[in-house]
Amino acid sequence: MPNILIGDDDEELTQLLQEYLHNHDIHCDCVHDGAAVIQRLKAVAHDDSAYDLLVLDIMMPKIDGLSVLRQLPNISDIPVIMLTAKGEEIDRIIGLELGADDYITKPCNPRDLLARINAVIKRTNTTTSEHTPLPESRLHLDQNQRVCEIDGVALQVTGTEFDLLVALLKQKGEVVSKAWLSENVLQRELQPFDRSLDVHVSRLRKKLQPFHDEPIKAVRGKGYQLVL
């Protein structure tokens, strides 16, 4: 049974989500401020009971969600789904730039959140037998350990960034459409004003640019091409 942590100061909402997720075979703990999120993650960081995923509200007391995201790399590599207020696009973009894997707007439909949770957990828990061989490249992606290296140098990437690299490397040299990447990596249809994919690719570019001037090429109107 997946084990997730929800950080949100809306106790009524978290209770509703906790009950709904439990009925769909997901164990869920809830805390109600950013300091408690950090404390809980530190407590289980080296424990068998470590969480599989964090659902994190942006607006929380003591320490807000974006500040939690800034501290997270020093605590855990747990995947994160943000909860953001409808219309707060800047918070979503900043959250994705800070390493969140996905977001959902509030008020959220529990069924939609469940679908996002299952999609992220499925990506990070893919079994060895489900992996297909990757072509030769300066990039080495260990799909079992989910570790990324380039020219023998370890590269710190989020779970979503790793999956994007795998998808692009499988079609190295070809232009991969944004629609295909959204459906197969983010597990949802590409929406007209959704910049999530662009933000994830932008973060990857910055991490890869010390090794190549233009590691991922944007082809206007078509998609992205890995050129490493």
Side-chain angles (χ1 to χ4, degrees), residues 36 40 50-51 57 71 90 97 100 126 129-130 145 165 186 190 193 201 208:
R40 185 67 64 90
Y51 295 104
D57 186 27
Q71 297 184 44
I90 187 63
E97 288 177 341
T126 303
S129 61
E130 294 173 308
Q145 299 298 321
L165 282 174
L186 303 185
L190 183 66
F193 301 106
V201 171
L208 293 170

Side-chain angles (χ1 to χ4, degrees), residues 1-8 10-11 13-32 40 49-56 83 113-114 117 121:
M1 177 183 289
N3 185 26
I4 74 167
L5 177 65
I6 295 181
D8 193 310
D10 187 333
E11 296 190 28
L13 173 64
T14 55
Q15 182 177 356
L16 183 153
L17 292 175
Q18 187 176 38
E19 292 174 358
Y20 182 85
L21 294 171
H22 180 77
N23 289 336
H24 288 80
D25 299 320
I26 294 177
H27 178 268
C28 178
D29 291 332
C30 301
V31 293
H32 306 294
R40 185 67 64 90
S49 62
Y51 295 104
D52 299 298
L53 182 140
L54 169 64
V55 177
L56 181 67
L83 291 175
L113 178 60
L114 175 64
I117 289 171
I121 290 176

Side-chain angles (χ1 to χ4, degrees), residues 4-215:
I4 74 167
L5 177 65
I6 295 181
D8 193 310
D9 62 341
D10 187 333
E11 296 190 28
E12 184 176 345
L13 173 64
T14 55
Q15 182 177 356
L16 183 153
L17 292 175
Q18 187 176 38
E19 292 174 358
Y20 182 85
L21 294 171
H22 180 77
N23 289 336
H24 288 80
D25 299 320
I26 294 177
H27 178 268
C28 178
D29 291 332
C30 301
V31 293
H32 306 294
D33 62 72
V37 171
I38 292 172
Q39 183 179 16
R40 185 67 64 90
L41 291 176
K42 284 182 176 179
V44 301
H46 305 291
D47 197 318
D48 290 339
S49 62
Y51 295 104
D52 299 298
L53 182 140
L54 169 64
V55 177
L56 181 67
D57 186 27
I58 295 300
M59 300 299 294
M60 285 192 298
K62 296 186 179 179
I63 302 176
D64 64 83
L66 294 179
S67 296
V68 172
L69 280 172
R70 290 186 180 95
Q71 297 184 44
L72 205 54
N74 298 319
I75 303 169
S76 171
D77 60 358
I78 187 172
V80 180
I81 296 175
M82 296 181 296
L83 291 175
T84 67
K86 192 171 184 179
E88 296 295 331
E89 183 181 7
I90 187 63
D91 284 343
R92 294 198 292 273
I93 291 173
I94 292 173
L96 291 168
E97 288 177 341
L98 290 172
D101 293 84
D102 204 349
Y103 72 87
I104 191 166
T105 55
K106 296 171 66 177
C108 64
N109 184 320
R111 183 181 296 178
D112 292 338
L113 178 60
L114 175 64
R116 299 288 178 92
I117 289 171
N118 284 334
V120 173
I121 290 176
K122 180 182 178 181
R123 291 204 307 267
T124 55
N125 290 344
T126 303
T127 63
T128 303
S129 61
E130 294 173 308
H131 296 317
T132 56
L134 297 173
E136 291 292 328
S137 169
R138 293 172 63 191
L139 278 171
H140 173 70
L141 304 177
D142 184 329
Q143 296 180 83
N144 298 322
Q145 299 298 321
R146 296 182 67 79
V147 172
C148 174
E149 292 183 352
I150 178 168
D151 296 342
V153 179
L155 199 66
Q156 297 299 316
V157 296
T158 66
T160 299
E161 291 166 357
F162 185 90
D163 294 325
L164 268 173
L165 282 174
V166 169
L168 291 169
L169 186 54
K170 284 180 178 178
Q171 303 180 64
K172 183 183 176 184
E174 299 179 15
V175 178
V176 186
S177 73
K178 289 185 178 182
W180 188 93
L181 287 169
S182 184
E183 290 177 12
N184 289 273
V185 176
L186 303 185
Q187 303 289 313
R188 63 173 185 266
E189 291 186 6
L190 183 66
Q191 299 299 317
F193 301 106
D194 186 352
R195 293 191 56 203
S196 303
L197 183 64
D198 298 326
V199 174
H200 287 305
V201 171
S202 176
R203 278 176 53 87
L204 271 178
R205 276 206 193 100
K206 290 176 182 177
K207 293 178 180 182
L208 293 170
Q209 276 174 344
F211 304 92
H212 193 287
D213 290 340
E214 192 178 19

